[in-house]
Amino acid sequence: MTSKLEQKETPQANGAVLPIVPGDCLASPERGQRAEPSDFLGPDGTGVEAVLLESRANAKGVREEDALLENGSQSNESDDTSTDRGPEPASPLKETSFSIGLQVLFPFLLAGFGTVAAGMVLDIVQHWDVFKYVTEVFILVPALLGLKGNLEMTLASRLSTAANIGQMDTPKELWKMITGNMALIQVQATVVGFLASIAAVVFGWIPDGHFSMDHAVLLCASSVATAFIASLVLGMIMIGVIIGSRKMGINPDNVATPIAASLGDLITLALLSGISWGLYKELESKAYVNPLVCAFFISLLPIWIVIAKRNSATREVLYSGWEPVIIAMAISSVGGLILDRTVSDPNFAGMAVFTPVINGVGGNLVAVQASRISTYLHMSGVPGDSPETAPRKCPSPCSTFFSSDVNSRSARVLFLLVVPGHLVFLYTISSMQGGHTTLTLIFIVFYMTAALLQVLILLYIADWMVHWMWGRDLDPDNFSIPYLTALGDLIGTGLLALSFHVLWLIGDRDSDVGD
């Protein structure tokens, strides 16, 4: 009579009963020893049936979760080597507040200095002829700077999740993810850049009732070229950062999105300024250059579409990922309209240098939080699963910021970085003599109030939005960050303009705004 080992049923494992004959030899993966045939013989000398359990996580998934999400501090080997159950899956995101803050701090400061540099560039180029005579370019600034949230941060979040769950382990998988995602963001960048130029033309035409075809073509060419080149450069940088973080045992969710933002603002604004200035100079003598540039980048669209469609990892996003990036572009364009209406007003002098900083910092922090929550949810299943992790009702502020779970802990850490981070950035701007504002106490109080309120609102919205999207079968990696960073641009620009307006109303007795 053949003896059998009992098969245990677990909710996350599938059992397979395989016969083992005396000639079979198995190696124990945890002890590194080869089992002898006699170990699998029954009392009567016949073979027994052993149960092989296939864990819900793939063979590499558990180890990747440990190495990347727990920074290598948690071991995935169990002391229990019994043959009737598979390895215990790692518990995701076992990070302390200190480890979260330590990993986020350097990329956060790097991103902040990137936004400071972008603010200094904007403070300089606002006096160029193209910005003076084609003021709609100001409307393009938040929309194109927001592409880092629409495309690069979304790419970083998507690839971070893929790396954490073991989908980029082999060269074949890695190359597949790279080619598909790079083609995808080129499609999105070209389309969003074109739509952003249309929004700039419309928003510029509505208040004044003035329309110029030459300026419209200039905006289109500048926007499409800037979006395409910036996304190409930043996408390649993002892939390198995520691969490097993974090899160093650092959670990519903590570093990828801030680094995307650190270079995103500066590169995009520098490209927009240089390209628009060059095309503006050619406007009179070589009018055909602008439509030719626009047509060239649009003609490349079919190539990128074909590449993205052939990749299963990006095919769905190519079809369904347009709503968030287009709506986010529209939201950011409203922030650009506010900037366009205020930057030329002497009462708001100095606002240009601070706008990229407050918008960039808020967007960076909320993107980190959204990416972390999304990865946490992916560890429990697929979008639409596990309804207990996706509440339908709005969370309370207490559960968002003061509960004991890891996402609340990271929200507290990110919020606490706002004041020291902005103090460093304000001091840097002041030491470089940027803007036209003296950093007096009342100005710092108003500025910090706006920055804290912006991040507080964004972190709360992120907690609700990511879980809400997850419960409705939407992948937050593809949908949440564009909305959140666009809201960051709108809220940051609005609160900053309000602060400057209040300083002007009180007579500017304690600040030199407008001098």
Side-chain angles (χ1 to χ4, degrees), residues 28 60 69 76 194 210 226 244 272 287 374 388 391 416 449 471 475:
S28 173
K60 58 198 173 189
L69 297 181
N76 68 311
F194 179 74
H210 175 70
T226 299
L272 176 62
S374 179
E388 67 276 3
L416 291 175
T449 302
D475 189 346

Side-chain angles (χ1 to χ4, degrees), residues 136-168:
E136 293 87 353
V137 178
F138 282 111
I139 302 178
L140 285 177
V141 170
L144 293 182
L145 296 190
L147 279 179
K148 73 180 186 300
N150 297 348
L151 304 181
E152 278 72 37
M153 285 185 176
T154 302
L155 171 68
S157 179
R158 190 162 57 241
L159 293 183
S160 295
T161 298
N164 284 334
I165 63 179
Q167 293 181 355
M168 296 174 61

Side-chain angles (χ1 to χ4, degrees), residues 456-491:
L456 188 72
I457 294 172
L458 290 176
L459 291 176
Y460 177 75
I461 294 176
D463 189 27
W464 164 78
M465 181 178 290
V466 173
H467 287 94
W468 180 85
M469 288 180 172
W470 183 270
R472 280 154 179 79
D473 200 21
L474 299 174
D475 189 346
D477 280 328
N478 298 326
F479 288 89
S480 64
I481 293 182
Y483 289 119
L484 293 170
T485 53
L487 287 173
D489 291 341
L490 178 60
I491 295 172

Side-chain angles (χ1 to χ4, degrees), residues 61-63 65-66 70 74-76 87-92 94 379:
V62 174
R63 295 188 181 273
E65 291 171 16
D66 287 333
E70 303 180 272
Q74 302 292 330
S75 173
N76 68 311
E88 292 291 337
S91 197
K94 289 183 178 177
M379 291 298 176

Side-chain angles (χ1 to χ4, degrees), residues 43 96 117 151 164 200 219 230 251 274 304 311 321 340 346 354 366 395 408 437 456 464 513:
T96 64
L151 304 181
N164 284 334
L219 290 171
N251 185 357
W304 310 127
N311 194 312
D340 183 35
F354 296 108
V366 74
S408 179
T437 303
L456 188 72
W464 164 78
V513 178

